[in-house]
Amino acid sequence: RRRRRRKLNLGPIDQRMISGITILCFAASYAVALALEVSRLLFRSGVRGALMLSFGAAGFLAHTAFLGYRAAAVTQAPLSSPFDWYLVAAWVLAGLYLGLTVQYPRTPVGLFILPLVLGLIGVARFLADQQPFARGSASQFWGMIHGAFLLLGVLAVLAGFVAGLMLLVQSYRLKHKMAGGERLRLPSLESLERAGARLTMAAPWMLALGFLSGVILNQVNHHRQLDDVVPWSDPVVWSFTLLLAWATAAALFCALYKPARQGRKVAYLTLTSFLFLLLWLGIRLSIPSEHGVSPVVAAPLPSASQAGGPA
């Protein structure tokens, strides 16, 4: 007898259960790594560094495998949903955390990066839409560019926020003569100032390229007479315009006014950019948009309804 192979068709509920279990695996690993980072403030340990890297690396590998499975399991553009976009952003930040921890083992960068990683994972799991949309080749091409540059711009804002937050903490410790503590070693003010200024000036370029590619994508969909054309009055579009306008103004201020690249001024610029980013993402999550049911900016390989508009 020939044994017939039966295909296993998972319904939406089964897929959510599998995704939830897998996400729980790497989210738990990141959470343990964060707890170990916090323990640096409480006591010393000779094995903590190895444990911290082990849990972080285990979470990153599980995270990578999960994204790889999702990319390989679809017949359309891979990683093309808001759910995937958040997880890719979290994955990049987790990789940044591992790299910085290996390079600067005594600097508790996880205290500042891992909460952002867990926050992005939480939004992906509980708020973001998992359904991708089919699209034509032209829309797919411009959607890829649109989502990729927006992802880079958002990551620049997040990284700038981390640098600014660390700068404020380090400045406070120096002011109160606390900088010599062994439990919380941070980079020098000069290096944090350079990082914050560079990220502040890089973010609007990435965001602007994402915005312009979104405009082109909107025109492509318009000429193809698709339903994915997004008006300029859409809340996601005008809120992103505010984010881009602020990021551009902050970059110009930082580039033209030298004192803005020093001390707390650059930190305040990065923190304000982060607040504008939160405003934009909050509008995406809470206000109905012509982008469809997708509550997030276009994914790295965006869907038709996600990436139809300028933002």
Side-chain angles (χ1 to χ4, degrees):
R1 294 182 179 179
R2 294 182 179 178
R3 295 183 179 179
R4 298 180 179 178
R5 296 180 180 178
R6 300 177 60 186
K7 294 182 179 179
L8 182 60
N9 296 320
L10 298 178
I13 297 179
D14 297 324
Q15 291 178 354
R16 284 198 296 270
M17 290 177 61
I18 293 175
S19 299
I21 294 172
T22 310
I23 288 175
L24 180 62
C25 291
F26 57 80
S29 296
Y30 293 145
V32 173
L34 177 59
L36 290 170
E37 289 277 7
V38 173
S39 71
R40 290 188 182 202
L41 306 176
L42 305 176
F43 59 88
R44 296 180 180 180
S45 173
V47 299
R48 176 173 46 215
L51 286 174
M52 196 166 55
L53 273 177
S54 298
F55 277 102
F60 185 75
L61 289 176
H63 199 159
T64 304
F66 178 76
L67 290 175
Y69 173 79
R70 283 188 61 85
V74 298
T75 57
Q76 301 294 332
L79 302 179
S80 59
S81 70
F83 173 80
D84 297 314
W85 188 91
Y86 274 118
L87 289 183
V88 169
W91 179 78
V92 174
L93 286 178
L96 178 65
Y97 159 71
L98 287 176
L100 291 176
T101 300
V102 171
Q103 188 173 4
Y104 306 104
R106 295 186 177 183
T107 302
V109 293
L111 288 176
F112 304 90
I113 296 179
L114 288 176
L116 295 177
V117 172
L118 291 172
L120 289 169
I121 293 173
V123 173
R125 178 64 183 90
F126 298 107
L127 299 176
D129 183 20
Q130 298 189 29
Q131 297 300 321
F133 295 87
R135 54 162 65 250
S137 57
S139 297
Q140 185 177 2
F141 172 76
W142 285 108
M144 289 169 56
I145 297 176
H146 178 55
F149 277 115
L150 287 183
L151 178 64
L152 291 174
V154 169
L155 288 173
V157 173
L158 292 176
F161 167 72
V162 171
L165 194 59
M166 294 174 72
L167 194 156
L168 288 178
V169 173
Q170 183 71 319
S171 177
Y172 177 85
R173 295 172 70 218
L174 284 172
K175 183 178 180 180
H176 293 82
K177 304 184 184 301
M178 300 166 56
E182 294 291 329
R183 295 180 180 177
L184 186 61
R185 291 191 176 186
L186 295 176
S188 65
L189 283 179
E190 291 77 11
S191 59
L192 291 172
E193 288 169 356
R194 286 195 301 269
R198 290 173 181 175
L199 289 166
T200 297
M201 290 186 282
W205 289 99
M206 301 297 103
L207 295 173
L209 289 172
F211 184 83
L212 291 175
S213 58
V215 172
I216 296 174
L217 176 59
N218 212 37
Q219 293 300 313
V220 169
N221 290 335
H222 174 72
H223 288 304
R224 295 179 62 204
Q225 298 182 349
L226 298 178
D227 295 332
D228 301 329
V229 179
V230 180
W232 289 96
S233 59
D234 187 271
V236 172
V237 176
W238 62 254
S239 61
F240 182 81
T241 304
L242 288 177
L243 170 62
L244 178 58
W246 163 256
T248 303
L252 289 174
F253 183 64
C254 196
L256 300 177
Y257 185 57
K258 187 176 180 180
R261 302 194 295 271
Q262 301 172 351
R264 295 188 177 187
K265 295 183 181 66
V266 66
Y268 294 146
L269 289 176
T270 60
L271 267 61
T272 307
S273 297
F274 179 70
L275 293 178
F276 272 93
L277 177 64
L278 288 182
L279 172 65
W280 174 55
L281 292 178
I283 289 175
R284 293 223 58 148
L285 291 167
S286 59
I287 299 179
S289 168
E290 292 294 328
H291 287 74
V293 296
S294 303
V296 183
V297 67
L301 296 178
S303 63
S305 60
Q306 287 175 267

